[in-house]
Amino acid sequence: MPDPVRIGNCSGFYGDRRAAMREMLTGGELDFLTGDYLAELTMLILARDRAKNPDRGYAKTFLSQLEECLGLAVERGVKIVANAGGLNPAGLAAAVRALAERLGLAVSVAHVEGDDLVGRSAELGFGTPLAANAYLGAWGIVDCLNAGADVVVTGRVTDASVTVGPAAAHFGWRRTDYDALAGAVAAGHVIECGVQATGGNYAFFTEVSDLRHPGFPLAEIHADGSSVITKHPGTGGAVTVGTVTAQLLYEIAGARYANPDVTLRVDSLCLHDDGPDRVRIDGVTGEAPPPTLKVSLNSVGGFRNAMTFVLTGLDIDAKAALVRDQLGAGLTAKPAELEWTLARTDHSDADTEETASALLRCVVRDPDPAVVGRQFSNAAVELALASYPGFHVTAPPSDGQVYGVFTAGYVDASEVPHVAIHADGTRTEIPPAAETLGLTPVGDPELPAPPPSGPTRRVPLGLIAGARSGDKGGSANIGVWVRTEEQWRWLAHTLTVDTLRDLLPETADLPVTRHLLPNLRAVNFVVEDILGEGVAYQARFDPQAKGLGEWLRSRHLDIPEELLPQ
């Protein structure tokens, strides 16, 4: 068997740790270094950037990282693959070439394009969004690497594709090597969000010895697609079965996880402790990809403003009712949307003013910036001497801000060009998958035997269960896992959709689907429409649903005493 290929990650989002590229290049051996700079919200940010200047539209921080690290990568023979090209991969590739020339480095730079469908949006039935980008796969990256590229930048490819491409190029995989490709998708999904795989945002974070500066992850991928997730020696954080499980559950749905090149069967994954800071992923199976590609559609939804009133002490509900009535009567123009939320952060007989206070938040949205601008915020502040006792707000009057709307579209893969552009300008058309398989749900496996009855204690779910949650357009997922077979038997029988709705009342009237993943001892919930029209819409105070899982872990259930930690 050939040696594994070592693929590291140095970015989980646009704005991640700037020093990570240098840390990964100097911290240990690598063959490839990848970076994920794109998210649904990032595509809107880059689209607005490009609207101001057509030469923009890519992640500028990637260039600043290369400024100090490109020479290191060349010296160490590490090839770089990143989706930092955003909406302008050709522009970023040209900028990288100019940087290399200025640094006196001989570097072959290639890029992948074809994902940008905004010019054909109406034709494809997507209306007139500000940005429309199909999620491409890995084979354009493979073509660039096989032609000798040292740096490959892409637009909107799937997050895992920047890992799948290097692995497929290294081992010479064919497009129908589904199990190997699916294994690389699993590894890529684990490392794509950077330090979330090494203890960041981890439910049991108190078990991680050093989180001051966690190291970024890397995957040692083998020829059969199995992998070991690890990190450079001596770096902070930890790689454990738990941290890898958490990341595998991040932003997924059911047992099938579709990518443009292969559909990963998440229910096939097996995790094993492979030593300190090493977790092996094997047993992975894959299926042909679906015939369609997902399209990220970002539009300007209108203008938004907010005002937060502080309510202190007694009569909180009456104070909230008064200011709502007063502001409603005082607005000369009614916004298209006006939402109130009251956060009862106050405590009885509190020993500080802050803990004696609740927060009443008013959010307004409208197509007209004047309606939600000073006209709204001034009306709120004008109540200062005429409203409830102790009136004050958390911020001064402000103008309305543009907000975005995200929707997902789908298009036949044959409708989307996928092109590798090499350093010499030659272009290679990447055909869509010849074999496809429609994405259908996998029926839940048979439930395990119910746990034995015994005495219980009413305690937080998080005493035995971890969770990881995140956004998927207007929906969110909550993956919940436990660490023993006995706990899994209890979890599978207890944490049903109805139980989730009871524990999280915000989900009570929303469509919720539960998926069982026995190999991970996990259940995954998909909660539709909880985020409105996407992250930029800010439908709730946690617009990316990052805290949903922790809210669920804090809720109390009757848990058998034998399952609780001693």
Side-chain angles (χ1 to χ4, degrees), residues 80-171:
I80 295 175
V81 180
N83 61 12
L87 301 181
N88 189 6
L92 178 56
V96 174
R97 291 188 191 102
L99 173 64
E101 183 176 357
R102 180 163 57 82
L103 296 175
L105 300 171
V107 177
S108 175
V109 183
H111 72 278
V112 178
E113 65 184 25
D115 61 293
D116 193 346
L117 304 179
V118 72
R120 298 169 54 205
S121 295
E123 165 200 340
L124 295 171
F126 299 142
T128 56
L130 189 60
N133 296 84
Y135 288 76
L136 300 180
W139 293 103
I141 297 170
V142 173
D143 191 76
C144 292
L145 292 171
N146 285 342
D150 301 303
V151 178
V152 182
V153 295
T154 76
R156 180 69 279 187
V157 298
T158 66
D159 299 341
S161 290
V162 295
T163 299
V164 177
H170 181 82
F171 293 115

Side-chain angles (χ1 to χ4, degrees), residues 53-64:
N53 184 339
D55 293 330
R56 298 177 184 171
Y58 56 77
K60 296 185 286 292
T61 54
F62 176 71
L63 265 184
S64 64

Side-chain angles (χ1 to χ4, degrees), residues 295-314:
V295 182
S296 169
L297 302 168
N298 282 280
S299 305
V300 172
F303 295 84
R304 176 187 178 280
N305 207 344
M307 185 66 71
T308 300
F309 303 86
V310 182
L311 315 175
T312 304
L314 304 177

Side-chain angles (χ1 to χ4, degrees), residues 39 108 141 162-163 188 198 241 246 275 279 308 341 350 357 363 367 432 460 482 507 566:
S108 175
I141 297 170
V162 295
T163 299
T198 60
V241 169
V279 173
T308 300
T341 55
S357 300
V363 177
V482 289
T507 70
Q566 299 302 312

Side-chain angles (χ1 to χ4, degrees), residues 23-97:
E23 291 170 5
M24 290 301 288
L25 288 170
T26 59
E29 294 297 318
L30 287 178
D31 298 301
F32 294 90
L33 183 59
T34 67
D36 176 20
Y37 292 79
L38 303 182
E40 293 165 356
L41 179 60
T42 311
M43 298 303 285
L44 176 64
I45 293 169
L46 295 178
R48 295 187 64 197
D49 201 24
R50 183 178 63 174
K52 298 173 185 174
N53 184 339
D55 293 330
R56 298 177 184 171
Y58 56 77
K60 296 185 286 292
T61 54
F62 176 71
L63 265 184
S64 64
Q65 289 174 302
L66 283 185
E67 176 88 30
E68 62 174 277
C69 295
L70 187 56
L72 269 175
V74 172
E75 175 188 323
R76 293 169 180 259
V78 178
K79 296 180 182 291
I80 295 175
V81 180
N83 61 12
L87 301 181
N88 189 6
L92 178 56
V96 174
R97 291 188 191 102

Side-chain angles (χ1 to χ4, degrees), residues 48-391:
R48 295 187 64 197
D49 201 24
R50 183 178 63 174
K52 298 173 185 174
N53 184 339
D55 293 330
R56 298 177 184 171
Y58 56 77
K60 296 185 286 292
T61 54
F62 176 71
L63 265 184
S64 64
Q65 289 174 302
L66 283 185
E67 176 88 30
E68 62 174 277
C69 295
L70 187 56
L72 269 175
V74 172
E75 175 188 323
R76 293 169 180 259
V78 178
K79 296 180 182 291
I80 295 175
V81 180
N83 61 12
L87 301 181
N88 189 6
L92 178 56
V96 174
R97 291 188 191 102
L99 173 64
E101 183 176 357
R102 180 163 57 82
L103 296 175
L105 300 171
V107 177
S108 175
V109 183
H111 72 278
V112 178
E113 65 184 25
D115 61 293
D116 193 346
L117 304 179
V118 72
R120 298 169 54 205
S121 295
E123 165 200 340
L124 295 171
F126 299 142
T128 56
L130 189 60
N133 296 84
Y135 288 76
L136 300 180
W139 293 103
I141 297 170
V142 173
D143 191 76
C144 292
L145 292 171
N146 285 342
D150 301 303
V151 178
V152 182
V153 295
T154 76
R156 180 69 279 187
V157 298
T158 66
D159 299 341
S161 290
V162 295
T163 299
V164 177
H170 181 82
F171 293 115
W173 291 338
R174 299 164 299 174
R175 295 189 67 157
T176 53
D177 289 332
Y178 295 133
D179 291 349
L181 292 167
V185 167
H189 183 60
V190 172
I191 70 171
E192 49 137 313
C193 280
V195 295
Q196 280 196 170
T198 60
N201 297 349
Y202 180 50
F204 301 110
F205 70 97
T206 57
E207 299 176 5
V208 181
S209 60
D210 183 6
L211 265 179
R212 291 172 299 175
H213 197 82
F216 273 67
L218 64 94
E220 299 172 353
I221 301 179
H222 293 259
D224 63 355
S226 63
S227 64
V228 171
I229 307 301
T230 184
K231 62 187 183 71
H232 284 326
T235 56
V239 178
T240 67
V241 169
T243 67
V244 173
T245 298
Q247 188 55 27
L248 283 170
L249 294 172
Y250 185 57
E251 296 181 344
I252 66 166
R256 286 190 166 106
Y257 183 61
N259 265 250
D261 306 313
V262 65
T263 295
L264 163 65
R265 288 296 298 260
V266 181
D267 54 350
S268 69
L269 297 168
C270 294
L271 303 184
H272 314 276
D273 189 328
D274 197 53
D277 291 318
R278 293 178 62 85
V279 173
R280 178 173 295 279
I281 305 175
D282 59 22
V284 185
T285 60
E287 301 170 340
T292 58
L293 299 182
K294 182 179 177 181
V295 182
S296 169
L297 302 168
N298 282 280
S299 305
V300 172
F303 295 84
R304 176 187 178 280
N305 207 344
M307 185 66 71
T308 300
F309 303 86
V310 182
L311 315 175
T312 304
L314 304 177
D315 305 318
I316 296 294
D317 290 329
K319 290 171 179 174
L322 174 60
V323 75
R324 289 181 63 163
D325 288 344
Q326 289 178 314
L327 186 57
L331 292 175
T332 56
K334 304 301 181 185
E337 299 178 45
L338 190 149
E339 302 169 357
W340 292 92
T341 55
L342 175 59
R344 292 301 301 263
T345 52
D346 55 302
H347 299 266
S348 177
D349 193 24
D351 58 3
T352 68
E353 183 177 342
E354 186 172 2
T355 55
S357 300
L359 300 175
L360 176 66
R361 192 163 181 253
C362 181
V363 177
V364 290
R365 299 182 187 89
D366 198 89
D368 185 350
V371 171
V372 298
R374 295 300 176 118
Q375 182 173 299
F376 160 75
S377 56
N378 286 347
V381 171
E382 286 173 2
L383 299 175
L385 304 183
S387 190
Y388 60 86
F391 180 105

